[in-house]
Amino acid sequence: MPEKRRATRKISRTKIRFGQGKCDKTAVTSNLSPIGFFIRTHRPFAPGTVLQFEIEHPNGNVIRLNGQVVHASRAPSQISRVRRSGMGISLLEKSGE
């Protein structure tokens, strides 16, 4: 089966804060690419939802991003080790501040 991804992903477990309007939820990424990432969470938002994200860089700086949910899946807890729950995020252009 041919690869559908538009960019190469790097496996990365990074703590991330996210939410709508304010970043009041915390989760962990499972992979990153220049155009998006996957967040492991048991409570994914619906596809099409625009979210804000904050990632703390090791140097202490906070990176703020906007992204849109492109796919979401919720696995029953009995199979969560086999099928991951979470959401795929496509990064959006940052608006001027």
Side-chain angles (χ1 to χ4, degrees), residues 25-97:
K25 295 167 183 44
T26 303
V28 175
T29 64
S30 63
N31 63 53
L32 302 169
S33 83
I35 61 172
F37 47 89
F38 187 85
I39 297 177
R40 295 181 64 107
T41 177
H42 295 294
R43 295 180 161 252
F45 284 85
T49 305
V50 174
L51 299 171
Q52 289 71 48
F53 301 92
E54 293 180 349
I55 301 172
E56 188 170 338
H57 191 274
N59 68 10
N61 291 339
V62 175
I63 301 165
R64 290 179 176 82
L65 305 165
N66 294 316
Q68 184 171 25
V69 180
V70 291
H71 65 88
S73 62
R74 186 177 291 172
S77 59
Q78 302 90 327
I79 63 167
S80 64
R81 289 184 180 256
V82 179
R83 183 171 170 238
R84 60 188 178 184
S85 291
M87 52 190 171
I89 305 297
S90 177
L91 292 174
L92 301 174
E93 292 292 322
K94 188 171 182 174
S95 60
E97 293 182 355

Side-chain angles (χ1 to χ4, degrees), residues 3-11 31-37:
E3 179 66 44
K4 293 181 182 180
R5 293 182 172 148
R6 296 182 297 157
T8 303
R9 286 180 164 75
K10 179 182 177 200
I11 295 173
N31 63 53
L32 302 169
S33 83
I35 61 172
F37 47 89

